[in-house]
Amino acid sequence: MTSRGRAFDAVLTDLDGVIRFYDMAELEELERAAGLPLGSTAEVAFRPETDMPLMRGEITKERWIESVADGLADRVPRACGRELGTTLAEAKFRADEVVVGLLRQVRAAGLPVLLVTNATPWLADDLALLGLTGPEGLLDDVISSADLGVAKPDRRMYETAAERAGVEAHRCLFVDDRQENVDAAVELGMTGLLYREPADLREVLASLV
């Protein structure tokens, strides 16, 4: 522990799989109708060769949807693949209110909360829909792969986050649901948390909240 009795001075958190979760019911219905195993569309959409150009801000949403259709072209008609890709791109989502509540307590304790996410170019719109930005928002800053042109686990994402937080890397808590992203943070000296459920976050924040 440090002079102020806490192990870190900033919280850096991922978005998807930690704060944001998607409703895939409509997509799953379409996949069943097309005779595809559930999850087939996401499996194609989130392959690095399909996903990373979008996350780095190199292609549009429309081009990403076409890439999903390309990846499904050997299993379903082109129009169906495009519909599946569009449905995934426009899937409804929600914020986990327990996690949001914990992060609000972090800010109330005087620590900055920064989002560090591999994100689409329309991230700002999504954050507004989630209620995470604006006067009553949750975040002190947003580090987006689509803005930086690099994606986690590239160390530049983490270095930029620490710099914007005004905190040394070894004084940051980094929260993510992917092991490789947590490992990269730990290599830079950050405290890493592999997120699985709110209890994981509550435990590591116990001294604060």
Side-chain angles (χ1 to χ4, degrees):
M1 305 297 279
T2 66
S3 59
R4 284 173 289 176
R6 61 196 187 204
F8 38 81
D9 295 320
V11 175
L12 317 178
T13 179
D14 185 27
L15 178 62
D16 293 325
V18 178
I19 297 174
R20 177 169 65 174
F21 294 87
Y22 286 88
D23 180 358
M24 293 298 187
E26 183 179 358
L27 179 60
E28 291 176 353
E29 183 177 342
L30 289 175
E31 287 177 332
R32 289 190 189 95
L36 291 173
L38 299 185
S40 295
T41 308
E43 186 274 326
V44 169
F46 299 129
R47 290 172 182 167
E49 62 269 25
T50 308
D51 190 38
M52 281 297 105
L54 181 69
M55 297 296 104
R56 293 191 297 262
E58 298 168 356
I59 62 173
T60 64
K61 180 189 293 188
E62 291 70 25
R63 180 57 249 173
W64 182 58
I65 291 170
E66 290 298 325
S67 297
V68 174
D70 291 342
L72 293 170
D74 61 338
R75 287 178 275 177
V76 297
R78 183 79 188 185
C80 180
R82 192 176 293 111
E83 182 182 16
L84 289 163
T86 300
T87 301
L88 175 60
E90 298 178 355
K92 296 177 181 178
F93 49 77
R94 63 174 179 83
D96 186 313
E97 292 302 325
V98 175
V99 173
V100 169
L102 288 169
L103 294 175
R104 288 196 187 283
Q105 291 180 63
V106 170
R107 292 191 79 200
L111 275 68
V113 174
L114 286 77
L115 194 68
V116 185
T117 178
N118 289 349
T120 64
W122 57 93
L123 174 64
D125 293 337
D126 289 356
L127 294 179
L129 287 172
L130 287 166
L132 300 182
T133 54
E136 301 301 321
L138 173 68
L139 306 169
D140 290 282
D141 206 341
V142 176
I143 291 79
S144 164
S145 61
D147 291 336
L148 288 184
V150 295
K152 293 178 297 186
D154 190 299
R155 65 183 293 143
R156 285 171 287 182
M157 290 283 287
Y158 308 86
E159 290 169 342
T160 299
E163 179 181 353
R164 291 194 191 173
V167 174
E168 295 292 333
H170 73 278
R171 300 293 301 151
C172 295
L173 170 68
F174 179 81
V175 183
D176 202 292
D177 65 325
R178 297 183 67 88
Q179 186 69 60
E180 63 267 30
N181 294 340
V182 174
D183 289 345
V186 171
E187 286 178 8
L188 289 175
M190 296 181 177
T191 299
L193 172 65
L194 181 62
Y195 181 88
R196 289 291 177 262
E197 59 183 3
D200 300 330
L201 185 59
R202 184 180 290 109
E203 180 179 357
V204 78
L205 296 176
S207 64
L208 294 173
V209 305

